């Protein structure tokens, strides 16, 4: 890891040259019906669209619908490519999740085969913390956009001091 | 839902999160970060206790919107800031997250913006939490 800067203000330790870098698409993630049910159960959500194929079909979907935040599970592999990029210089042990956003073209449904493409959108330093914004586009293998996730992670105290 | 207007309130909900829920969420999500289930480790990095996954809290808050919509596919955008962790003690009671929502804007195309408030013990755990939905 790089040494901490001791300059006044917000000295970046992350490599800002990586802003705009896009990583190769991940190998396809196949969304399983039982995985969707497992995730919905884990968040305690009994919405029939997540569990019951007939209920999902009555709403016009091909199979059970994944809860909105399930997209993060798939996108995580993509965003990790960016966060773990050795050229970036991020101390992952100090990272906390700062913000999360989803923009859907349509919900994820069981049977989707999705690839994740990550892009580093921004690198900032605020109050001694390094802040990394990564966008991940999830699309079908045929190229249909499904959802874009934007993740802001904060590396505490790495940009300047930690006193 | 034809009477939706600015100021329309979504039914508030209370969610309880226990250590059991965090272990189950870790398994389902693949996020096995120690701070979400190992009290010894969580305290060693300065946390008051094991804390809930931010994504777990975000998932619970979404339910206020998707339960109101019925069809979860009507959620078009959803964004939150994680402002404060939710500590989860090793007890049977678990921790309580209270979530409410209100329509703050009507948008073109039969859509609406909803602002969400999520608190734990009276303090906000999500900041600038909003959703854009297609109204039924």
């Amino acid at each position: 890891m790089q040494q901490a800067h001791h300059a006044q203000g917000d000295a970046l330790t992350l490599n800002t040259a990586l802003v705009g870098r896009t990583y190769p698409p991940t190998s396809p993630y196949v969304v399983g019906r039982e995985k969707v049910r497992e995730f919905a159960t884990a968040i305690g959500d009994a919405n029939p669209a997540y569990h019951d194929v007939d209920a999902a079909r009555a709403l016009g979907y091909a199979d059970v619908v994944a809860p909105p935040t399930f997209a993060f599970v798939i996108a995580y592999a993509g965003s990790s490519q960016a966060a773990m990029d050795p050229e970036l210089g991020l101390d992952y042990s100090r990272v906390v999740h700062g913000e999360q956003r989803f923009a859907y073209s349509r919900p994820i449904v069981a049977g989707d085969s999705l690839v994740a493409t990550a892009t580093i959108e921004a690198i900032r330093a605020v109050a001694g913390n390094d802040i990394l914004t990564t966008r991940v586009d999830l699309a079908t293998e045929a190229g249909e956009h499904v959802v874009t996730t934007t993740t802001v992670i904060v590396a505490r105290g790495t940009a300047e001091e930690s006193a | 839902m034809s009477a939706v207007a600015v100021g329309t309130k979504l039914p508030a909900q209370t969610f309880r999160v226990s250590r059991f829920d965090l272990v189950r969420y870790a398994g389902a999500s693949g996020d096995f970060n120690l701070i979400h289930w190992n009290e010894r480790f969580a305290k060693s990095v300065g946390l008051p206790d094991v804390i809930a996954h931010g994504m777990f809290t975000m998932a619970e808050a979404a339910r206020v919107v998707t339960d109101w919509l019925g069809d979860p596919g009507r959620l078009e955008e959803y964004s939150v800031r994680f402002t404060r962790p939710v500590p989860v003690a090793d007890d049977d009671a678990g921790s309580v997250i209270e979530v409410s929502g209100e329509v703050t804007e009507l948008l073109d195309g039969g859509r609406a913006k909803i602002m969400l408030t999520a608190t734990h013990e009276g303090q906000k755990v999500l900041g600038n939490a909003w959703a854009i939905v297609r109204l039924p």
Side-chain angles (χ1 to χ4, degrees), chain B residues 48-136:
Chain B
D49 208 322
V50 161
I51 61 169
H53 303 73
M55 289 306 300
F56 180 87
T57 301
M58 189 178 187
E60 299 310 306
R63 291 171 58 188
V64 166
V65 179
T66 53
D67 284 353
W68 184 65
L69 291 169
D71 175 359
R74 292 184 170 278
L75 182 61
E76 289 195 342
E77 289 185 63
Y78 180 34
S79 182
V80 308
R81 272 195 301 122
F82 302 103
T83 52
R84 187 181 288 271
V86 178
V88 179
D90 183 16
D91 60 26
D92 294 329
S95 298
V96 172
I97 303 166
E98 294 180 85
V99 183
S100 60
E102 180 176 338
V103 175
T104 57
E105 209 177 333
L106 294 178
L107 305 167
D108 59 9
R111 299 174 309 140
K113 182 172 184 177
I114 293 160
M115 292 300 297
L116 292 165
T117 303
T119 61
H120 167 64
E121 294 182 344
Q123 295 192 294
K124 283 191 181 185
V125 294
L126 299 178
N128 195 26
W130 54 269
I132 291 175
V133 304
R134 273 183 293 111
L135 297 170

Side-chain angles (χ1 to χ4, degrees), chain A residues 35 38-39 41-45 47 49-50 59 61 65 68-69 72-73 97-104 107 156, chain B residues 21 24-25 27-29 45 55-56 58-60 63 66-67 70-73 75-82 130:
Chain A
K35 187 67 192 180
E38 178 192 6
F39 186 86
T41 300
I43 61 170
D45 198 330
N47 190 320
Y50 303 149
L59 293 171
Y61 302 110
V65 176
T69 60
F72 185 80
V73 174
H97 200 167
E99 298 175 33
Q100 182 62 43
R101 183 179 308 173
F102 299 95
Y104 311 90
R156 290 171 298 162
Chain B
D21 295 315
R24 187 168 59 175
Y25 183 78
S29 69
V45 295
M55 289 306 300
F56 180 87
M58 189 178 187
E60 299 310 306
R63 291 171 58 188
T66 53
D67 284 353
D71 175 359
L75 182 61
E76 289 195 342
E77 289 185 63
Y78 180 34
S79 182
V80 308
R81 272 195 301 122
F82 302 103
W130 54 269

Side-chain angles (χ1 to χ4, degrees), chain A residues 104-125:
Chain A
Y104 311 90
S105 290
R106 65 161 174 82
I108 294 169
V109 297
D112 278 337
S113 182
L114 302 174
V115 296
T117 306
T119 302
I120 293 181
E121 291 245 292
I123 295 172
R124 294 179 292 142

